[in-house]
Coordinates of all heavy atoms in Angstrom, one line a residue:
M494 N -8.8 32.5 0.9 CA -9.8 33.5 0.3 C -8.9 34.7 -0.2 O -9.2 35.3 -1.3 CB -10.8 33.8 1.3 CG -11.9 34.7 0.5 SD -13.2 35.3 1.6 CE -14.1 33.6 2.0
V495 N -8.0 35.2 0.7 CA -7.3 36.4 0.3 C -6.5 36.0 -0.9 O -6.4 36.9 -1.8 CB -6.3 36.8 1.5 CG1 -5.4 37.9 1.2 CG2 -7.2 37.2 2.7
W496 N -5.7 34.9 -0.9 CA -4.9 34.5 -2.0 C -5.8 34.3 -3.3 O -5.3 34.6 -4.4 CB -4.1 33.2 -1.7 CG -3.1 33.5 -0.6 CD1 -2.4 34.7 -0.4 CD2 -2.5 32.6 0.3 NE1 -1.5 34.5 0.6 CE2 -1.5 33.2 1.0 CE3 -2.7 31.2 0.5 CZ2 -0.8 32.5 2.1 CZ3 -2.1 30.5 1.5 CH2 -1.1 31.2 2.2
H497 N -6.9 33.8 -3.2 CA -7.8 33.6 -4.3 C -8.2 34.9 -5.0 O -8.1 35.0 -6.2 CB -9.0 32.9 -3.9 CG -10.2 32.9 -4.8 ND1 -10.1 32.3 -6.1 CD2 -11.4 33.5 -4.7 CE1 -11.1 32.5 -6.7 NE2 -12.0 33.2 -5.9
V498 N -8.5 35.9 -4.1 CA -8.7 37.2 -4.7 C -7.6 37.9 -5.3 O -7.7 38.6 -6.5 CB -9.4 38.2 -3.6 CG1 -9.6 39.6 -4.1 CG2 -10.8 37.6 -3.1
E499 N -6.4 37.8 -4.7 CA -5.2 38.4 -5.3 C -4.9 37.8 -6.6 O -4.4 38.4 -7.4 CB -4.1 38.2 -4.3 CG -4.2 39.1 -3.0 CD -3.0 38.7 -2.0 OE1 -2.3 37.9 -2.3 OE2 -2.9 39.5 -1.0
H500 N -5.1 36.5 -6.8 CA -4.6 35.8 -8.0 C -5.6 35.8 -9.1 O -5.4 36.0 -10.4 CB -4.2 34.4 -7.8 CG -2.9 34.3 -7.0 ND1 -2.8 34.4 -5.6 CD2 -1.6 34.1 -7.5 CE1 -1.5 34.3 -5.3 NE2 -0.8 34.1 -6.3
N501 N -6.9 35.7 -8.8 CA -8.1 35.6 -9.8 C -8.8 36.9 -9.9 O -9.7 36.9 -10.9 CB -9.0 34.4 -9.3 CG -8.2 33.0 -9.3 OD1 -7.5 32.8 -10.2 ND2 -8.5 32.3 -8.3
R502 N -8.7 37.8 -9.0 CA -9.4 39.1 -9.2 C -10.9 38.9 -9.3 O -11.6 39.6 -10.2 CB -8.9 39.9 -10.4 CG -7.4 40.0 -10.4 CD -6.9 40.7 -9.2 NE -7.4 42.2 -9.1 CZ -7.3 43.1 -8.2 NH1 -6.5 42.7 -7.1 NH2 -7.8 44.3 -8.3
A503 N -11.5 37.9 -8.6 CA -12.9 37.6 -8.6 C -13.3 37.0 -7.3 O -12.5 36.3 -6.7 CB -13.4 36.8 -9.8
L504 N -14.5 37.1 -7.0 CA -15.1 36.4 -5.8 C -16.6 36.1 -5.9 O -17.3 36.9 -6.5 CB -14.9 37.5 -4.5 CG -15.2 36.8 -3.1 CD1 -14.2 35.7 -2.9 CD2 -15.0 38.0 -2.1
H505 N -16.9 35.0 -5.5 CA -18.4 34.5 -5.6 C -19.2 35.5 -4.8 O -18.7 36.2 -3.9 CB -18.5 33.2 -5.1 CG -18.1 32.2 -6.0 ND1 -16.7 31.8 -6.3 CD2 -18.8 31.2 -6.9 CE1 -16.5 30.9 -7.3 NE2 -17.8 30.6 -7.6
Q506 N -20.6 35.5 -5.2 CA -21.4 36.4 -4.5 C -21.7 36.0 -3.0 O -21.8 36.7 -2.1 CB -22.8 36.4 -5.3 CG -23.8 37.5 -4.8 CD -23.2 38.9 -5.0 OE1 -22.7 39.2 -6.1 NE2 -23.3 39.7 -3.9
Q507 N -21.9 34.5 -2.9 CA -22.0 34.0 -1.6 C -20.8 33.3 -1.0 O -20.2 32.5 -1.8 CB -23.3 33.1 -1.5 CG -24.6 33.8 -1.8 CD -25.7 32.8 -1.7 OE1 -25.7 31.8 -2.3 NE2 -26.8 33.3 -1.0
L508 N -20.5 33.5 0.1 CA -19.2 33.0 0.7 C -19.5 32.2 2.1 O -20.4 32.6 2.9 CB -18.2 34.1 1.0 CG -17.8 35.1 -0.1 CD1 -17.1 36.2 0.4 CD2 -17.2 34.4 -1.2
L509 N -18.9 31.0 2.1 CA -19.0 30.1 3.3 C -17.7 29.7 3.7 O -16.9 29.0 3.0 CB -19.9 29.0 3.0 CG -20.1 28.0 4.2 CD1 -20.7 28.7 5.4 CD2 -20.8 26.7 3.9
V510 N -17.2 30.1 4.9 CA -15.9 29.7 5.5 C -16.2 28.6 6.3 O -17.1 28.6 7.3 CB -15.2 30.7 6.1 CG1 -13.9 30.3 6.7 CG2 -14.9 32.0 5.2
L511 N -15.6 27.4 6.1 CA -15.9 26.2 6.9 C -14.5 25.6 7.7 O -13.6 25.4 6.9 CB -16.5 25.1 5.9 CG -16.7 23.8 6.6 CD1 -17.8 23.9 7.7 CD2 -17.2 22.7 5.5
R512 N -14.8 25.5 8.9 CA -13.7 24.9 9.6 C -14.2 23.5 10.1 O -15.2 23.4 10.7 CB -13.3 25.8 10.9 CG -12.2 25.2 11.7 CD -11.9 26.3 12.8 NE -10.8 25.7 13.6 CZ -10.9 25.6 14.9 NH1 -12.0 26.0 15.6 NH2 -10.0 25.2 15.8
V513 N -13.3 22.5 9.9 CA -13.7 21.1 10.4 C -12.9 20.9 11.5 O -11.7 21.0 11.4 CB -13.4 20.1 9.2 CG1 -13.8 18.7 9.7 CG2 -14.3 20.5 8.0
I514 N -13.5 20.4 12.6 CA -12.8 20.1 13.8 C -13.0 18.5 14.1 O -14.1 18.1 14.0 CB -13.3 20.9 15.0 CG1 -13.2 22.4 14.7 CG2 -12.6 20.6 16.4 CD1 -13.8 23.3 15.8
I515 N -12.0 17.9 14.4 CA -12.2 16.5 15.0 C -12.0 16.5 16.4 O -10.8 16.8 16.9 CB -11.0 15.6 14.3 CG1 -11.0 15.7 12.7 CG2 -11.1 14.2 14.8 CD1 -12.3 15.2 12.1
L516 N -13.0 16.2 17.0 CA -13.1 16.2 18.4 C -12.3 15.0 19.1 O -12.2 14.0 18.5 CB -14.5 16.5 19.0 CG -15.2 17.6 18.6 CD1 -16.6 17.7 19.1 CD2 -14.5 18.9 19.1
Q517 N -12.2 15.1 20.5 CA -11.4 13.9 21.1 C -12.4 12.9 21.7 O -12.3 12.4 22.7 CB -10.5 14.4 22.1 CG -9.6 15.6 21.8 CD -9.0 15.3 20.5 OE1 -8.5 14.2 20.3 NE2 -8.7 16.4 19.7
V518 N -13.6 12.9 21.0 CA -14.6 11.8 21.3 C -14.8 11.1 20.1 O -14.6 11.6 18.9 CB -15.9 12.5 21.8 CG1 -15.7 13.3 23.2 CG2 -16.4 13.5 20.7
P519 N -15.3 9.8 20.3 CA -15.5 9.0 19.0 C -16.7 9.4 18.1 O -16.5 9.3 16.9 CB -15.7 7.6 19.5 CG -16.1 7.7 20.9 CD -15.5 9.0 21.5
W520 N -17.7 9.8 18.7 CA -18.9 10.1 17.9 C -19.6 11.6 18.3 O -19.4 11.8 19.5 CB -20.0 9.2 18.0 CG -19.5 7.7 17.8 CD1 -19.0 6.8 18.9 CD2 -19.2 7.0 16.6 NE1 -18.6 5.7 18.3 CE2 -18.7 5.8 16.9 CE3 -19.5 7.3 15.3 CZ2 -18.4 4.9 15.9 CZ3 -19.1 6.5 14.4 CH2 -18.5 5.2 14.7
V521 N -20.0 12.2 17.5 CA -20.7 13.5 17.8 C -22.2 13.5 17.6 O -22.6 13.0 16.5 CB -20.1 14.6 17.0 CG1 -20.9 16.0 17.2 CG2 -18.6 14.8 17.3
S522 N -22.9 14.0 18.5 CA -24.4 13.9 18.3 C -24.8 14.7 17.1 O -24.2 15.9 16.8 CB -25.1 14.4 19.6 OG -26.5 14.6 19.3
P523 N -25.9 14.3 16.3 CA -26.2 15.2 15.1 C -26.6 16.7 15.3 O -26.4 17.6 14.6 CB -27.5 14.4 14.5 CG -27.3 13.0 15.0 CD -26.5 13.1 16.4
K524 N -27.2 16.9 16.6 CA -27.5 18.2 16.9 C -26.4 19.2 17.2 O -26.4 20.4 17.1 CB -28.5 18.2 18.2 CG -27.9 17.7 19.4 CD -28.9 17.7 20.6 CE -28.3 17.0 21.9 NZ -27.1 17.9 22.4
D525 N -25.3 18.5 17.4 CA -24.0 19.3 17.7 C -23.0 19.4 16.5 O -21.9 19.8 16.7 CB -23.3 18.7 19.0 CG -24.1 18.7 20.2 OD1 -24.8 19.7 20.4 OD2 -24.0 17.9 21.0
R526 N -23.5 18.8 15.4 CA -22.6 18.6 14.4 C -22.1 19.8 13.6 O -21.0 19.9 13.3 CB -23.4 17.8 13.2 CG -22.7 17.4 12.0 CD -21.5 16.4 12.1 NE -22.1 15.2 12.3 CZ -21.4 14.1 13.0 NH1 -20.4 14.4 13.5 NH2 -22.1 12.9 13.2
I527 N -23.0 20.9 13.5 CA -22.6 22.0 12.8 C -23.3 23.4 13.3 O -24.4 23.3 13.8 CB -23.0 22.0 11.3 CG1 -22.4 23.1 10.5 CG2 -24.4 21.7 11.1 CD1 -22.6 23.1 9.0
T528 N -22.5 24.4 13.4 CA -23.0 25.6 13.8 C -22.6 26.6 12.7 O -21.6 26.6 12.1 CB -22.4 26.2 15.1 OG1 -20.9 26.1 14.9 CG2 -22.7 25.3 16.4
V529 N -23.7 27.4 12.3 CA -23.5 28.4 11.2 C -24.0 29.8 11.7 O -24.9 30.0 12.4 CB -24.4 27.9 10.1 CG1 -24.1 29.0 8.8 CG2 -24.1 26.5 9.7
A530 N -23.1 30.8 11.3 CA -23.5 32.1 11.7 C -23.1 33.1 10.5 O -22.0 32.9 9.8 CB -22.6 32.6 12.9
E531 N -23.9 34.0 10.2 CA -23.7 35.1 9.2 C -22.9 36.3 9.8 O -23.5 37.0 10.8 CB -25.0 35.6 8.6 CG -24.8 36.4 7.3 CD -26.1 36.7 6.6 OE1 -27.1 36.5 7.3 OE2 -26.0 37.2 5.4
I532 N -21.7 36.5 9.4 CA -20.8 37.5 10.0 C -20.8 38.7 9.2 O -20.3 39.7 9.6 CB -19.4 37.0 10.2 CG1 -18.9 36.4 8.9 CG2 -19.5 35.9 11.4 CD1 -17.5 35.9 9.1
A533 N -21.4 38.7 8.0 CA -21.5 39.8 7.0 C -22.6 39.5 6.0 O -22.8 38.3 5.8 CB -20.1 40.2 6.4
P534 N -23.0 40.4 5.2 CA -24.0 40.1 4.2 C -23.5 39.0 3.3 O -22.3 39.3 2.7 CB -24.2 41.4 3.5 CG -24.0 42.5 4.7 CD -22.8 41.9 5.4
D535 N -24.1 37.9 3.1 CA -23.7 36.8 2.3 C -22.4 36.3 2.6 O -21.7 35.7 1.7 CB -23.7 37.4 0.7 CG -25.1 37.6 0.2 OD1 -26.1 36.9 0.7 OD2 -25.3 38.6 -0.5
F536 N -22.0 36.4 3.8 CA -20.7 35.9 4.2 C -20.9 35.1 5.4 O -21.2 35.6 6.6 CB -19.7 37.0 4.6 CG -18.2 36.5 4.6 CD1 -17.2 37.1 3.9 CD2 -17.9 35.7 5.6 CE1 -15.9 36.8 4.0 CE2 -16.5 35.2 5.8 CZ -15.6 35.8 4.9
W537 N -20.8 33.7 5.4 CA -21.1 32.9 6.5 C -19.8 32.2 7.0 O -18.9 32.0 6.2 CB -22.2 31.8 6.0 CG -23.5 32.4 5.5 CD1 -23.6 33.0 4.3 CD2 -24.6 32.5 6.3 NE1 -25.0 33.3 4.3 CE2 -25.6 33.0 5.4 CE3 -25.1 32.0 7.5 CZ2 -26.9 33.2 5.8 CZ3 -26.4 32.2 7.8 CH2 -27.3 32.8 7.1
R538 N -19.8 31.8 8.2 CA -18.8 31.0 8.9 C -19.5 29.8 9.5 O -20.5 30.0 10.4 CB -18.0 31.9 9.9 CG -17.0 31.0 10.7 CD -16.1 31.8 11.5 NE -15.0 32.5 10.8 CZ -13.9 31.9 10.3 NH1 -13.7 30.6 10.7 NH2 -13.0 32.5 9.7
A539 N -19.0 28.7 9.2 CA -19.5 27.4 9.8 C -18.4 26.6 10.5 O -17.3 26.7 10.0 CB -20.2 26.6 8.8
E540 N -18.7 25.8 11.5 CA -17.9 25.0 12.2 C -18.5 23.5 12.2 O -19.5 23.4 12.8 CB -17.6 25.5 13.6 CG -16.5 24.8 14.4 CD -16.1 25.5 15.6 OE1 -16.7 25.2 16.6 OE2 -15.2 26.2 15.7
A541 N -17.8 22.7 11.7 CA -18.3 21.4 11.6 C -17.5 20.4 12.6 O -16.3 20.6 12.8 CB -18.1 20.8 10.2
R542 N -18.2 19.5 13.3 CA -17.6 18.8 14.4 C -17.8 17.3 14.1 O -18.8 16.9 13.8 CB -18.1 19.1 15.7 CG -18.0 20.6 16.1 CD -18.6 21.0 17.4 NE -18.8 22.3 17.6 CZ -19.7 23.2 17.2 NH1 -20.8 22.5 16.5 NH2 -19.9 24.4 17.4
F543 N -16.7 16.6 14.1 CA -16.8 15.1 13.8 C -16.0 14.4 15.1 O -15.0 15.0 15.6 CB -16.2 14.6 12.5 CG -17.0 15.3 11.3 CD1 -16.6 16.5 10.8 CD2 -18.0 14.4 10.9 CE1 -17.4 16.8 9.7 CE2 -18.8 14.9 9.8 CZ -18.4 16.1 9.2

Side-chain angles (χ1 to χ4, degrees):
M494 186 183 294
V495 175
W496 290 334
H497 166 60
V498 171
E499 288 179 352
H500 288 85
N501 296 319
R502 308 298 297 173
L504 190 62
H505 285 72
Q506 190 64 45
Q507 292 184 313
L508 306 172
L509 175 64
V510 176
L511 177 64
R512 179 176 180 236
V513 179
I514 303 175
I515 305 299
L516 301 178
Q517 314 310 319
V518 295
W520 311 97
V521 174
S522 171
K524 63 182 179 62
D525 300 324
R526 176 77 65 206
I527 185 171
T528 56
V529 185
E531 189 173 15
I532 57 179
D535 292 325
F536 194 123
W537 299 77
R538 175 174 282 275
E540 187 172 87
R542 305 176 192 88
F543 294 92

